[in-house]
Structure formats: C-alpha cells, structure tokens
Amino acid sequence: MTDALPPRGCQAAEPAEDSYFRKGCNPLAETGRSKLQNQRAVLNQQILRAVRMRAGAENLLRATTNNKVREQVLLELSFVNSDLQILKEELEGLNISVEVYQNTEETFSIPLVPLGLKETKEVDFTLPLKDFILEHYSEDSSEYEDEIADLMDLRQACRTPSRDEAGIEMLISYFLQLGYVENRFFPPTRHMGILFTWYDSFTGVPVCQQNLLLEKASILFNIGALYTQIGTRCNRQTQNGLENAVDAFQRAAGVLNYLKETFTHTPSYDMSPAMLNVLVKMMLAQAQECAFEQMSLPGIRNEFFTLVKMTQETAKVGEVYMMVNTAMTQEPVKENIPYSWSKLVQIKSDHYKALAHYFIATILCDHELQSSDDEDQQEKALSQLYDYMPEGLMALTVLKDKVQRKQLGKAHLRKAVVYHEEALRVCGLCKKLRNIDVLQEVLTAAHKRSLLKYAQQEKEDDFLSLIQTPDILPKTEHKVETITPQFSKVKVKDFFHRLGPLSVFSAKQRWTAPRTIRFHCEAGELGFSLKGGSPVQIYCLDPACSAASVGLKEGDYIVSVGGVDCKWLGVNEVLEKFKSVGEQPIEFEVISCQDTTASMHSKSATYSVGMQKTYSLICLAMEEDKIDQTKKAPLKLPFLSWGTKNRQKAASTLCLPSAVAGSSQTKKKLSPFALLNTESSLY
C-alpha cells in the first residue's frame, strides 16, 4: 500500500532585470516589499520624533521643581509612552508581513520568516574625503570627484538591492569597498565628521555614529536579511527551489553568525549578540524545515522504513523550532522579538511534533509483521525511534502483537491530536497569524487527518488500555550548518586606486608633501640605489652625491618622475624612466614618512540593555570634559570593535534623518488552496 503527496507545481518565471540601473539595484520596483520598506522608513521617523519628545520631557522633569509643571510633563510623558508603544506594535506588524516576501506560486506550505532590510539616511562623502585627500595626501582633490561620486552611487544603490544573487554581490562589493575607504580615509587619530545613521530593524530607534564600523556591520546585517528574502522567495514546489532555499537560509545564518563573532558591542538591538544568536537559530531551523520539505516533495510512501525515516526527520524539525522558541523567550531579546514570530515558531514546533507522532502511529496501525519481512531490521528500526519503550512493552513484542501495536498507535494518534489542537489554539491567539490563510489550512488539514486516522481504529475501551506515549528521538540525514561568507569570491577594485598602494598610502601613515628633486648624474652614477616594490624607495644614499645635496633623504619614496605618476611602478620601470632622460637633468618627486601622533579615544554610541523599555538610548550628552581630572575615569569598550578589543571611550550621538515619503501598504493574503486528500496522502 503506497500513499503519496503529489508534486506541488512548477518553477515560476523570473522577472526581467532592468538594465538601466546598477546591476543588483532595483529602486523603481513597485512591489509589496518596496512599499513595506517605505512604511518602515516612515515609522522609523515617527519613532525618532517620539524619542526626542520623550528625552526633552525627561530633561524638563529633572530640571523643574514646579509641581504644576511636573504634572503637565508627567502627562506628556504618559502620552509619548503610549504613542511609542503603538508605533512599536505597528513596526512589529511590518516585521511579520511575510506575505510580500513569499513566492508568488500557490503553495500548500507554512510561510517562512524573512528579515527586513535596515534603513539608513543618505551620507555625503564629498567634502570630508576631498579635504582629507588635499590635507593628508597633498593631491588635487578635484581630480577624485568621479571616484567619490562612484562611492556615493554604490552606497545609494545598496539601499534598494534586488532580491537575487546580483543584489547580494552588490552589497558585498560595497562592504569590501568600505575596507579600502576605512584604510584610506579614516585615521585612528581623529574622526572624519561623517555621520552614519541606521535604524534598528525591530525597534525603529536610530543610531548615529561617526564610526565607519557601524556602516560595515549594518551592511552585513542587510546581506543576511537579503539572503532570508531570497530563501522565502524560492519556489518550494520544486526540488531546485527547495535546494536554493536551504542554501539561502544557511548562508543567511553564516553571515549573521559572522557579524556576531566579528563585531562586538553593537549599538542597536537587531545586531546585539543575543538577538543575532536567535536569528541564526531561526534561519537554521527554516533551512531544516526546507530540507524536510525537499524529502517529502515527491510524496511519502506508506512503507515501514520510509515512515521510520520521516518520523525522525519530522521530529528533528520540531526539536529545532522548540529550541528557537526557547531562545526567543529569554531576556534581553524577549521584548523586541515580534510577538507573531515567537508564536509562529511555537506553532511550527507543535505542528512538526504532531506529524512525527502521526507517522509513527501509521507505522503501528498499518503495518503487521509478515513472514517475509526482516524481523531484526524492523525491531532495530522501531527501537531506535524511542529513548525508552513504555513499561511492559518491547519492540519485537509490539511488532508481533496486534493488540499492543494498536494500543501504542492510538496513543501516538492522541498525542498528535493534542499537538495539532495546541498549534491551532496558538494560531488563533495571534491576529497577524489568523490572517494568513494558508497557515490555517495546513494546520486544519493535518488536524483532520489525525482525527480521521484515529476514528478508523477499532472501537475499544481506551480507559482500560491507556499507554503513556513515549517521546520520539529526533534524527536527520540532512544536517544544516552555517555557511561562512566567502567575500573573496567577489572581486572589487579600490575606487581610490590612483592614490597609490594601500600598504603605503593609508590614513594610518602620515607623509610630507611631495618634494621636487632635480639633479645631474655624475659620471653616469645616480648616487643611490632603489629597492622595494610599488612605490620604490631610496636606498644606500651617498651623502656626497648631488641628489642628497638638493634634499633627497634615505628612505624617501618616489611618487613621480618627470611629472608622470609612478606610485605603482617597480624598480626596473623607474630606472628605465631615469635612463630615458638622457643627458638632461633628472627631475622627480619624493615623499618622506612622518612620525604618527598618539591616537585619541573615539567617541561612539554604547549598547544599552534598557533601550527596549525606555527608548531613551539616543539623547546622551558627551560630558567627558566635565569629569574631574583628579578622578580616574574607568575605561570602556566601544560599541563596535573590528576583530580585536580596544579601550576607546564611548558616548552617544543622534542625527535627525531627512523625511521619507511613505506609501500605504496593500494588504496581501496568501491564496487558499484545496486541502490534501486524507485518503491518498500522509503529508
């Protein structure tokens, strides 16, 4: 007897890319996702205004001693708090708006949860970078306007990435480009005055930093978020689509885990270690769910060993979702995780546990041990499903005894019905989940199937044959793991390549302005040697030579010969240029290294555990100058560290973002589908 789940459809056609914009960017796509992001931007701005009002009211409350004024301020604070709570609930509603991220094909599958992209404010690099090029590198900054424009265009494009591999590649290219920019223009001695503003994905609270590491961390978060959107968009009715979904969620987990391990003391809750830990677990759980769907896509045969395998696989999915649910209910992430997410994870845990009990009940109710069956193999397979057998039962006895097999099978069916009813009850408690039609249909169909299976069993006195249902041991042959991002696969050229080799021409090293050296060779001898790669360096300088007499020093770097830039030339190429001069005087420009000054402490926002309760994180004053010089201020870690820890002091700043025009969200429900035939399918 073979029951199968029929295939669920075919691959949807991919929309054509718009070649007018940068590859990987699609800013004019009038999709549900773009409208959702616009709504998020509007909510972020409203939350910012409410936070500023709250901070001002709190400051006034601390400053005034007038009772009447205090009463008015307390009333205002009460209003602002309630307004913030409403805005937070609206933002939570957007976070669970999973419909716009799903595949457009009709499917009979529980929706997956994607992450929304972090919103940011526009940044103008022009003046700070041009000033730095002129001051630090002593070059005409007007010649680098195109490079600065390319950098700003790339950042702007990263605000609206396309939901595909091209969008991922574009975000990675900007992340790698930031590495060059950081080394070129962000010295450890001072800030550049460039403010980066990013909004928390869950709370909407803005964080404004002069630290480029905030930009890097936020781009990494968006790379992981985009992978989740790619995963939810995959067509889960095809094997190829499910494979891509598993891969996307594993890569999303890898990027978020890399962010957690690489950047420490993050300023917003969506990038805090505790929150990232939960998100990594959730992405791996969704990858495990897609792996199970991949196995069940061709249909689940009603055969003993097939059902044993599917029982353990389903129990594994239920277990990983239970672990995610446990992590979501812990502090400090409990208050910021969207309520709908935690309920959906709980529903999936109960749903897949119920399926596991349904599958094992089918084994016990539909399969009798025949003389042609391998008795030892079936006994071993059944015993491996349990940590322990119920008291008085043995695996071989259950297989041979029809009464015991029926009793244990009905016990599993009762357990399945209990889990199904709990999943339906939790779904009914959440307004957002109640509006997802396909979720209700899947849960209802599974519940009816278990009830029908239970009703088909022989009528007997259950009170005289109650058996304690044993727990099922989860096991999988398709273990999912995080996939570490391979940034090296994306080739990026430094926009500011013309400044010279990064190992020499960086913000960490200070150089003198170029000096012109003009001299004549004496008897065909230069009076010095050259060494190194690009650029070449003066070596073994003869103090008595004519070049030394006009200002050439040991260790100088040659940056141009005869007015031609040679920062990227080697020793042989520079010597060829010297020889090409002939009898004329040799003229070239050199620079000398200066001693670097002691680095100052950077001032950056610190991560506050209380933000989700008060929303007052942002408006802190920088009061370091007010600290009594006789007191030793304790050293603090900054909000964000790249790899290694440091001892930079921290303070928090805020920048008001520009207005973002939003558009109303079109409510989109998943279409209902026909229930599975309970007589011809197991799942």
Side-chain angles (χ1 to χ4, degrees), residues 262-328:
T262 308
F263 293 87
T264 60
H265 305 284
T266 47
S268 58
Y269 289 100
D270 53 1
M271 297 190 295
S272 65
M275 181 65 78
L276 290 175
N277 183 58
V278 171
L279 296 180
V280 169
K281 289 180 182 293
M282 185 168 69
M283 295 311 132
L284 290 179
Q286 295 190 144
Q288 192 73 57
E289 181 182 6
C290 291
F292 166 75
E293 290 181 351
Q294 191 177 355
M295 296 175 59
S296 62
L297 182 64
I300 301 173
R301 297 176 57 236
N302 195 347
E303 186 268 331
F304 185 90
F305 292 105
T306 300
L307 290 175
V308 168
K309 178 181 178 181
M310 296 309 298
T311 297
Q312 292 182 313
E313 291 285 349
T314 314
K316 181 63 178 180
V317 179
E319 181 193 47
V320 294
Y321 271 116
M322 181 182 67
M323 295 172 62
V324 175
N325 184 51
T326 301
M328 284 183 171

Coordinates of all heavy atoms in Angstrom, one line a residue, residues 262-328:
T262 N 32.4 38.8 14.7 CA 33.4 39.8 14.3 C 33.2 41.2 14.9 O 34.2 41.8 15.3 CB 33.3 39.9 12.7 OG1 33.4 38.6 12.1 CG2 34.5 40.8 12.2
F263 N 31.9 41.6 15.0 CA 31.7 43.0 15.6 C 31.1 42.8 17.0 O 30.1 42.1 17.2 CB 30.7 43.7 14.7 CG 31.2 44.1 13.3 CD1 31.1 43.2 12.3 CD2 31.8 45.3 13.1 CE1 31.6 43.5 11.0 CE2 32.3 45.6 11.9 CZ 32.2 44.8 10.8
T264 N 31.7 43.5 17.9 CA 31.3 43.4 19.3 C 30.7 44.7 19.8 O 31.0 45.8 19.2 CB 32.4 43.0 20.2 OG1 33.5 44.0 20.1 CG2 33.0 41.6 19.8
H265 N 29.9 44.7 20.8 CA 29.3 45.9 21.4 C 28.6 46.7 20.4 O 28.8 47.9 20.2 CB 30.4 46.8 22.1 CG 31.3 46.1 23.1 ND1 30.8 45.8 24.3 CD2 32.5 45.5 23.0 CE1 31.7 45.1 25.0 NE2 32.8 44.9 24.2
T266 N 27.7 46.1 19.7 CA 26.9 46.7 18.6 C 25.9 47.7 19.3 O 25.4 47.4 20.4 CB 26.2 45.7 17.8 OG1 25.5 44.7 18.6 CG2 27.1 45.0 16.8
P267 N 25.5 48.8 18.6 CA 24.7 49.8 19.2 C 23.2 49.6 19.1 O 22.5 50.3 19.8 CB 25.1 51.1 18.4 CG 25.4 50.6 17.1 CD 26.1 49.2 17.3
S268 N 22.8 48.7 18.3 CA 21.3 48.5 18.1 C 21.0 47.1 18.4 O 21.8 46.2 18.3 CB 20.9 48.9 16.7 OG 21.6 48.1 15.7
Y269 N 19.7 46.9 18.8 CA 19.4 45.6 19.3 C 19.3 44.5 18.3 O 19.5 43.3 18.5 CB 18.0 45.6 20.1 CG 18.1 46.4 21.4 CD1 17.7 47.7 21.5 CD2 18.6 45.8 22.5 CE1 17.9 48.4 22.6 CE2 18.8 46.5 23.7 CZ 18.4 47.8 23.7 OH 18.5 48.5 24.9
D270 N 19.0 44.9 17.0 CA 18.9 43.9 16.0 C 20.3 43.3 15.7 O 20.4 42.2 15.1 CB 18.3 44.5 14.7 CG 19.0 45.7 14.3 OD1 20.0 46.2 14.9 OD2 18.6 46.3 13.2
M271 N 21.4 44.0 16.1 CA 22.7 43.4 15.9 C 23.4 43.1 17.2 O 24.6 42.8 17.2 CB 23.6 44.4 15.1 CG 23.1 44.7 13.7 SD 24.2 45.7 12.7 CE 24.3 47.3 13.6
S272 N 22.7 43.0 18.3 CA 23.3 42.6 19.5 C 23.6 41.1 19.5 O 22.9 40.3 18.8 CB 22.4 42.9 20.7 OG 21.2 42.1 20.6
P273 N 24.6 40.6 20.2 CA 24.9 39.1 20.2 C 23.7 38.3 20.5 O 23.5 37.2 19.9 CB 26.0 39.0 21.2 CG 26.6 40.4 21.3 CD 25.5 41.3 21.0
A274 N 22.9 38.7 21.5 CA 21.7 37.8 21.9 C 20.7 37.7 20.8 O 20.2 36.7 20.5 CB 21.1 38.4 23.2
M275 N 20.4 38.9 20.1 CA 19.5 38.9 19.0 C 20.0 38.1 17.8 O 19.3 37.3 17.2 CB 19.1 40.3 18.6 CG 18.1 40.4 17.5 SD 16.5 39.8 18.0 CE 15.9 41.1 19.0
L276 N 21.3 38.3 17.5 CA 21.9 37.6 16.4 C 21.9 36.1 16.6 O 21.7 35.3 15.7 CB 23.3 38.1 16.1 CG 23.4 39.5 15.5 CD1 24.8 40.0 15.4 CD2 22.7 39.6 14.2
N277 N 22.1 35.7 17.9 CA 22.1 34.3 18.2 C 20.7 33.7 17.9 O 20.6 32.6 17.4 CB 22.5 34.1 19.7 CG 22.5 32.6 20.1 OD1 23.3 31.9 19.5 ND2 21.7 32.2 21.1
V278 N 19.7 34.4 18.3 CA 18.3 33.9 18.0 C 18.0 33.9 16.5 O 17.5 32.9 16.0 CB 17.3 34.8 18.7 CG1 15.9 34.5 18.2 CG2 17.4 34.7 20.2
L279 N 18.5 34.9 15.8 CA 18.2 34.9 14.3 C 19.0 33.8 13.6 O 18.4 33.2 12.7 CB 18.7 36.3 13.8 CG 17.9 37.5 14.2 CD1 18.4 38.8 13.6 CD2 16.4 37.3 14.0
V280 N 20.2 33.5 14.0 CA 20.9 32.4 13.4 C 20.2 31.1 13.7 O 20.1 30.2 12.7 CB 22.4 32.3 14.0 CG1 23.1 31.0 13.6 CG2 23.2 33.5 13.6
K281 N 19.7 30.8 14.9 CA 19.0 29.6 15.2 C 17.7 29.5 14.3 O 17.3 28.5 13.8 CB 18.6 29.6 16.7 CG 19.7 29.3 17.6 CD 19.2 29.3 19.1 CE 20.4 29.1 20.0 NZ 21.0 27.8 19.9
M282 N 17.0 30.7 14.1 CA 15.8 30.7 13.4 C 16.1 30.3 11.9 O 15.3 29.6 11.2 CB 15.1 32.0 13.5 CG 13.7 32.0 12.8 SD 12.7 33.5 13.2 CE 13.6 34.8 12.4
M283 N 17.1 30.9 11.3 CA 17.4 30.6 9.9 C 17.8 29.2 9.7 O 17.5 28.6 8.7 CB 18.6 31.6 9.5 CG 18.2 33.0 9.5 SD 16.6 33.3 8.6 CE 15.8 34.4 9.8
L284 N 18.6 28.6 10.7 CA 18.9 27.2 10.5 C 17.7 26.3 10.7 O 17.6 25.3 10.0 CB 20.0 26.8 11.6 CG 21.4 27.4 11.4 CD1 22.3 27.0 12.5 CD2 22.0 27.0 10.1
A285 N 16.8 26.7 11.5 CA 15.5 25.9 11.7 C 14.7 26.0 10.4 O 14.2 24.9 10.0 CB 14.7 26.5 12.8
Q286 N 14.7 27.1 9.7 CA 14.0 27.2 8.5 C 14.7 26.4 7.4 O 14.0 25.8 6.5 CB 13.8 28.7 8.1 CG 12.9 29.4 9.0 CD 12.5 30.8 8.6 OE1 11.4 31.3 8.8 NE2 13.4 31.5 7.9
A287 N 16.0 26.4 7.4 CA 16.7 25.5 6.5 C 16.4 24.1 6.7 O 16.2 23.3 5.7 CB 18.2 25.8 6.6
Q288 N 16.3 23.7 8.0 CA 16.0 22.3 8.3 C 14.5 21.9 7.8 O 14.3 20.8 7.3 CB 16.1 22.0 9.8 CG 16.0 20.6 10.2 CD 17.3 19.8 9.9 OE1 18.4 20.2 10.3 NE2 17.1 18.8 9.1
E289 N 13.6 22.9 8.0 CA 12.3 22.7 7.5 C 12.2 22.5 6.0 O 11.5 21.6 5.5 CB 11.4 23.9 7.9 CG 10.0 23.8 7.5 CD 9.2 25.1 7.9 OE1 9.8 26.0 8.4 OE2 7.9 25.0 7.7
C290 N 13.0 23.3 5.3 CA 13.0 23.2 3.8 C 13.7 21.9 3.4 O 13.3 21.3 2.4 CB 13.8 24.4 3.2 SG 12.9 26.0 3.3
A291 N 14.7 21.4 4.2 CA 15.3 20.1 3.9 C 14.2 19.0 4.0 O 14.2 18.0 3.2 CB 16.5 19.9 4.8
F292 N 13.4 19.1 5.1 CA 12.3 18.1 5.2 C 11.3 18.1 4.1 O 10.9 17.1 3.5 CB 11.6 18.3 6.6 CG 10.3 17.6 6.7 CD1 10.3 16.2 6.9 CD2 9.1 18.2 6.5 CE1 9.1 15.5 7.0 CE2 7.9 17.6 6.6 CZ 7.9 16.2 6.8
E293 N 11.0 19.4 3.7 CA 10.0 19.5 2.6 C 10.6 18.9 1.3 O 9.9 18.4 0.4 CB 9.7 21.0 2.4 CG 8.8 21.5 3.5 CD 8.4 23.0 3.2 OE1 9.0 23.6 2.3 OE2 7.6 23.5 4.0
Q294 N 11.9 19.1 1.1 CA 12.6 18.5 0.0 C 12.5 17.0 -0.1 O 12.3 16.4 -1.1 CB 14.1 18.9 0.0 CG 14.8 18.7 -1.3 CD 16.3 19.2 -1.2 OE1 16.7 19.8 -0.3 NE2 17.0 18.9 -2.2
M295 N 12.6 16.4 1.1 CA 12.5 14.9 1.2 C 11.0 14.5 0.9 O 10.8 13.4 0.3 CB 12.9 14.4 2.5 CG 14.4 14.6 2.9 SD 14.8 14.2 4.6 CE 14.3 12.4 4.5
S296 N 10.1 15.2 1.4 CA 8.7 14.8 1.3 C 8.0 15.3 0.0 O 6.9 15.0 -0.3 CB 7.9 15.4 2.4 OG 7.9 16.8 2.5
L297 N 8.7 16.1 -0.8 CA 8.1 16.7 -2.0 C 7.6 15.6 -3.0 O 6.5 15.7 -3.5 CB 9.1 17.6 -2.7 CG 8.6 18.3 -4.0 CD1 7.5 19.3 -3.7 CD2 9.7 19.1 -4.7
P298 N 8.4 14.5 -3.3 CA 7.9 13.5 -4.3 C 6.7 12.7 -3.7 O 6.0 12.0 -4.4 CB 9.1 12.6 -4.5 CG 10.3 13.4 -4.0 CD 9.8 14.2 -2.9
G299 N 6.5 12.8 -2.4 CA 5.4 12.0 -1.8 C 6.0 11.1 -0.7 O 7.2 10.6 -0.9
I300 N 5.3 10.8 0.3 CA 5.8 9.9 1.4 C 5.1 8.6 1.3 O 3.9 8.5 1.5 CB 5.5 10.6 2.8 CG1 6.2 11.9 2.9 CG2 6.0 9.6 3.9 CD1 5.9 12.7 4.2
R301 N 5.8 7.6 0.9 CA 5.3 6.2 0.7 C 4.9 5.6 2.1 O 5.6 5.8 3.1 CB 6.3 5.3 0.0 CG 6.6 5.8 -1.4 CD 7.7 4.9 -2.0 NE 7.3 3.5 -2.0 CZ 8.0 2.5 -1.5 NH1 9.1 2.8 -0.9 NH2 7.6 1.3 -1.6
N302 N 3.7 5.0 2.1 CA 3.3 4.3 3.3 C 4.0 3.0 3.4 O 3.4 1.9 3.3 CB 1.8 4.2 3.3 CG 1.2 3.8 4.7 OD1 1.9 3.5 5.6 ND2 -0.1 3.9 4.8
E303 N 5.3 3.1 3.7 CA 6.1 1.9 3.8 C 6.9 2.0 5.1 O 7.3 3.1 5.6 CB 7.0 1.8 2.6 CG 7.9 0.6 2.5 CD 9.3 0.7 3.2 OE1 9.7 1.9 3.2 OE2 9.8 -0.3 3.7
F304 N 7.2 0.8 5.8 CA 7.7 0.8 7.1 C 8.9 1.7 7.3 O 9.0 2.6 8.1 CB 7.9 -0.7 7.5 CG 8.4 -0.8 9.0 CD1 7.4 -1.0 10.0 CD2 9.7 -0.7 9.4 CE1 7.8 -1.1 11.3 CE2 10.1 -0.9 10.7 CZ 9.1 -1.1 11.6
F305 N 10.0 1.3 6.6 CA 11.2 2.0 6.8 C 11.2 3.5 6.3 O 11.9 4.3 6.9 CB 12.4 1.2 6.1 CG 12.7 -0.1 6.7 CD1 12.2 -1.3 6.1 CD2 13.3 -0.2 7.9 CE1 12.5 -2.5 6.7 CE2 13.6 -1.4 8.5 CZ 13.1 -2.6 7.9
T306 N 10.4 3.8 5.3 CA 10.3 5.1 4.8 C 9.6 6.0 5.9 O 10.1 7.1 6.2 CB 9.4 5.2 3.6 OG1 10.0 4.5 2.5 CG2 9.2 6.7 3.1
L307 N 8.6 5.4 6.6 CA 7.9 6.2 7.6 C 8.8 6.3 8.9 O 8.7 7.3 9.6 CB 6.6 5.4 8.0 CG 5.5 5.5 7.0 CD1 4.3 4.7 7.4 CD2 5.1 7.0 6.7
V308 N 9.6 5.3 9.2 CA 10.6 5.4 10.3 C 11.5 6.6 10.0 O 11.8 7.4 10.9 CB 11.4 4.1 10.5 CG1 12.6 4.4 11.4 CG2 10.5 3.0 11.0
K309 N 12.0 6.7 8.8 CA 12.9 7.8 8.5 C 12.2 9.1 8.6 O 12.8 10.1 9.1 CB 13.5 7.6 7.1 CG 14.4 8.7 6.6 CD 14.9 8.4 5.1 CE 15.8 9.5 4.6 NZ 16.2 9.2 3.2
M310 N 11.0 9.3 8.0 CA 10.3 10.5 8.0 C 9.9 10.9 9.5 O 9.8 12.1 9.8 CB 9.1 10.4 7.1 CG 9.4 10.2 5.7 SD 10.6 11.4 5.0 CE 9.7 12.9 5.2
T311 N 9.6 9.9 10.3 CA 9.3 10.2 11.7 C 10.4 10.9 12.4 O 10.3 12.0 13.1 CB 9.0 8.9 12.5 OG1 7.8 8.3 11.9 CG2 8.7 9.2 13.9
Q312 N 11.6 10.4 12.2 CA 12.8 11.1 12.9 C 13.1 12.4 12.2 O 13.5 13.4 13.0 CB 14.0 10.1 12.8 CG 13.9 8.8 13.6 CD 15.1 8.0 13.5 OE1 15.6 7.7 12.4 NE2 15.6 7.5 14.6
E313 N 13.0 12.5 10.9 CA 13.3 13.8 10.3 C 12.3 14.9 10.7 O 12.7 16.0 11.0 CB 13.2 13.7 8.7 CG 14.3 12.8 8.1 CD 15.6 13.5 8.0 OE1 15.6 14.8 8.3 OE2 16.6 12.9 7.7
T314 N 11.0 14.5 10.9 CA 10.0 15.5 11.3 C 10.2 15.9 12.7 O 10.0 17.0 13.1 CB 8.6 14.9 11.1 OG1 8.5 14.3 9.8 CG2 7.5 16.0 11.3
A315 N 10.6 14.9 13.6 CA 10.8 15.2 15.0 C 12.0 16.1 15.1 O 12.1 17.0 16.0 CB 11.1 13.9 15.7
K316 N 13.0 16.0 14.2 CA 14.1 16.9 14.2 C 13.7 18.4 13.9 O 14.2 19.3 14.6 CB 15.2 16.5 13.2 CG 16.4 17.3 13.1 CD 17.2 17.2 14.5 CE 18.5 18.1 14.4 NZ 19.2 18.0 15.7
V317 N 12.8 18.6 13.0 CA 12.3 19.9 12.7 C 11.6 20.5 13.9 O 11.8 21.6 14.3 CB 11.4 19.9 11.4 CG1 10.9 21.3 11.1 CG2 12.2 19.3 10.2
G318 N 10.8 19.6 14.5 CA 10.1 20.1 15.7 C 11.0 20.5 16.8 O 10.8 21.4 17.6
E319 N 12.1 19.7 17.0 CA 13.1 20.0 18.0 C 13.8 21.3 17.8 O 13.9 22.1 18.8 CB 14.1 18.8 18.1 CG 15.1 19.0 19.2 CD 16.3 18.1 19.1 OE1 16.8 17.9 18.0 OE2 16.7 17.5 20.1
V320 N 14.2 21.6 16.6 CA 15.0 22.8 16.3 C 14.1 24.0 16.5 O 14.5 25.1 17.0 CB 15.7 22.8 14.9 CG1 16.7 21.7 14.9 CG2 14.6 22.6 13.8
Y321 N 12.8 23.9 16.1 CA 11.9 25.0 16.3 C 11.6 25.2 17.8 O 11.4 26.4 18.3 CB 10.6 24.8 15.6 CG 10.7 25.4 14.2 CD1 10.6 24.6 13.0 CD2 10.9 26.8 14.0 CE1 10.7 25.1 11.8 CE2 10.9 27.3 12.7 CZ 10.8 26.5 11.6 OH 10.9 27.0 10.3
M322 N 11.6 24.1 18.6 CA 11.4 24.3 20.0 C 12.6 25.0 20.7 O 12.4 25.8 21.6 CB 11.3 22.9 20.7 CG 11.0 22.9 22.2 SD 10.9 21.3 22.9 CE 12.6 20.7 22.6
M323 N 13.8 24.7 20.2 CA 15.0 25.4 20.7 C 14.9 26.9 20.3 O 15.3 27.8 21.1 CB 16.2 24.8 20.1 CG 16.5 23.4 20.6 SD 17.8 22.5 19.7 CE 19.2 23.6 20.2
V324 N 14.4 27.2 19.1 CA 14.3 28.6 18.7 C 13.3 29.3 19.6 O 13.5 30.5 20.1 CB 13.9 28.7 17.2 CG1 13.6 30.2 16.9 CG2 15.0 28.2 16.3
N325 N 12.2 28.7 19.9 CA 11.1 29.2 20.7 C 11.7 29.5 22.1 O 11.4 30.5 22.8 CB 9.9 28.3 20.8 CG 8.8 28.9 21.6 OD1 8.4 30.0 21.4 ND2 8.3 28.1 22.6
T326 N 12.5 28.6 22.7 CA 13.1 28.8 24.0 C 14.0 30.0 24.0 O 14.0 30.8 24.9 CB 13.9 27.5 24.4 OG1 13.0 26.4 24.4 CG2 14.5 27.7 25.8
A327 N 14.8 30.1 22.9 CA 15.7 31.3 22.8 C 15.0 32.6 22.7 O 15.4 33.6 23.2 CB 16.7 31.1 21.6
M328 N 13.8 32.6 22.0 CA 13.1 33.8 21.9 C 12.4 34.3 23.1 O 12.1 35.5 23.2 CB 12.0 33.6 20.8 CG 12.5 33.6 19.4 SD 11.1 33.4 18.2 CE 12.0 33.7 16.6

